[in-house]
Amino acid sequence: MHIDVRRWGARVALLGALVIGRTVRAEPVAAAAQAKAPDAATKADARQRFDQGVHLFERGENAAALAEFKRAYDLIPNLLVLYNIGLVYAAMDRPVDAVDALDKVLDGTTGAGVAASPTGLTASQAAKARQVRADQAARIAEVMVVTDKPAVLEVDGVEAGRTPLERPLRLASGAHVLSALAPGCLPARRELTLAGRTNQTLTLALLPTESSNAHLTLTVPVPGAEVLVNGQRVGTTPLPASVAVAPGAATIEVRRAGYRVATRTIQVDEGSNGSLRFDLEEDPTTAAALKGRLIVTPSEPGAVVSVDGLLRPEALQGLDLPGGPHELRVERAGYLPFERQVEVGAGTSTSLVAALVATAETRAASDEGAHVRHVWGASSIAAGLAIAGGSAIYAIATRNDLSSAQATLNAQLAQEKDANPTVTCSKANPDYAALNCPAIESYDQNAVDSAKLKRDLAYGGIGLGVVVAGVGTYLFATGRRDLNADTSGTHVGFWSGGQSGGLIFSGGF
């Protein structure tokens, strides 16, 4: 089945698990052939890094997850981890890095990267690697940049090379801002819209300047806003780096559909550094058709919801927002913050479950509480069974006492009711009192009462034992760890927004 990784965004399948602590007979890659077998500490660290990477990936923190996967691979080079790194790159919309990683997976096992299935991967995983590699390669464009002076090239604020280039830049299809920077020259910027599998040449002329540019850091909590400096577009928020501004008066404008335009004019000194923050206000005149509804459901009660840097508790019931991306943050004491960029479609409703993950301290407290409940639960079960069992044995041992005592009392009472004066304890017998018959009746009644007390104590002991055992069972059953702190194993989740959705699969090693 064909899977478009871009459609699923940050939700791709992390397939395969790195096996540690067990010998696997496989053809190793050349670099690992001479490597010394990792010790137990290294294996444990690699396993923990991998599990943490899966955990972060499920929360949508792809960059942090990638760092953990790469560290696990550095500790123990393994094709399955590298395979997962390639899939994470694909989920992060970084086709160039995804292709490079998957090429290493394929070439590192077959030598030529064709025909045979890669060692360490199943046939379906090998097919998946080739498929994702092909899909990502189709999204790469090549741009040869030529400048009249040696310059540093930046793509979307990140250094990508230096001219003269030995080979074209490989870039993901889509919109980019390419800049050329050289000492003593004004920055040259171009906006590019690239299609996959295309090649083009871009020539930039760098104009000299007698002054140093200033660098301005712009903070805009609302993502997807267009930023213009002196009428020239420099990118969309969040900006990846500071903006170089020529000395003098500078007008910064931030705009996005559904929000009021924010404009500020400042005086920039030569070589200075500064920062500005723009808090965009929603435009109340925005048509309802251009808005969408966001509904956030935290996994834990009492969580606080913020949207675009502002507290928005109404998001729990449904919050109307301008269509487009928004920064969501959900917080609760004792849990790691849940942060995600959510795309709210105009005219649609987007629902999201914020799965909060307990902090290490909260998990430790939960583990301690669970241990105490387990101990008390097991002890109560044992005590309850002992009480109930002992009471049952006592009830069996004394079961005949009451019937025997009652029969004796009934016989005594029958004699007293007998009208024949010759019956020993008949009340018609003139020697009734002298024969101590009232004392005999009292004794027999006391024997009946004592037998009833024994019976009631036995039944009460059985009931008490059942109650104690029941309480112990409840304590033991509810003493299990219910916090979502386990990052191993396989996890499955679902999210939906507008007309899109995603399914999460992940593996641990």
Side-chain angles (χ1 to χ4, degrees), residues 285-362:
T285 64
T286 302
L290 299 179
K291 292 186 175 183
R293 170 155 289 203
L294 175 64
I295 303 173
V296 181
T297 304
S299 62
E300 302 295 331
V304 178
V305 179
S306 300
V307 179
D308 298 330
L310 298 176
L311 291 177
R312 303 300 294 266
E314 59 268 33
L316 298 175
Q317 287 74 40
L319 174 64
D320 292 329
L321 295 169
H326 294 274
E327 289 292 341
L328 173 67
R329 182 181 177 91
V330 183
E331 299 175 281
R332 186 185 185 281
Y335 291 80
L336 298 174
F338 176 93
E339 296 177 310
R340 183 76 51 82
Q341 187 174 106
V342 182
E343 186 72 23
V344 177
T348 64
S349 179
T350 300
S351 298
L352 185 143
V353 176
L356 296 174
V357 178
T359 62
E361 293 78 8
T362 302

Side-chain angles (χ1 to χ4, degrees), residues 60-127:
E61 299 183 22
N62 295 336
L66 178 63
E68 296 296 338
F69 285 138
K70 294 176 73 173
R71 178 55 181 161
Y73 183 77
D74 290 340
L75 291 171
I76 302 179
N78 182 282
L79 293 179
L80 290 172
V81 178
L82 186 59
Y83 167 74
N84 281 336
I85 290 174
L87 295 183
V88 174
Y89 274 135
M92 294 174 68
D93 198 23
R94 293 171 60 176
V96 175
D97 294 320
V99 167
D100 289 344
L102 294 175
D103 278 345
K104 291 179 181 178
V105 172
L106 297 170
D107 295 343
T109 56
T110 66
V114 296
S117 173
T119 302
L121 300 182
T122 65
S124 62
Q125 291 169 354

Side-chain angles (χ1 to χ4, degrees), residues 11 40 50 60 64 75-76 105 136-137 158-159 162 188 254 279 320:
R11 305 299 190 185
F50 187 90
L75 291 171
I76 302 179
V105 172
Q136 295 299 297
V158 178
E159 183 175 339
R162 295 172 180 266
V254 181
D279 293 307
D320 292 329

Side-chain angles (χ1 to χ4, degrees), residues 400-415 444 448:
N400 294 325
D401 291 355
L402 178 59
S403 58
S404 176
Q406 187 66 55
T408 301
L409 176 62
N410 291 340
Q412 178 66 23
L413 294 175
Q415 287 189 39
D444 292 342
V448 170

Side-chain angles (χ1 to χ4, degrees), residues 142-146 168 192 198-204:
E142 293 188 349
V143 179
M144 175 58 77
V145 182
V146 179
L192 304 176
T198 59
N199 298 274
Q200 63 176 277
T201 300
L202 179 65
T203 301
L204 299 176

Side-chain angles (χ1 to χ4, degrees), residues 71 95 114 132 182 189 225 251 277 307 375 380-381 401 407 415 432 438 475:
R71 178 55 181 161
V114 296
V132 174
R189 291 189 177 88
T251 299
R277 179 185 175 92
V307 179
V375 172
S380 298
I381 291 173
D401 291 355
Q415 287 189 39
Y432 173 80
L475 291 174

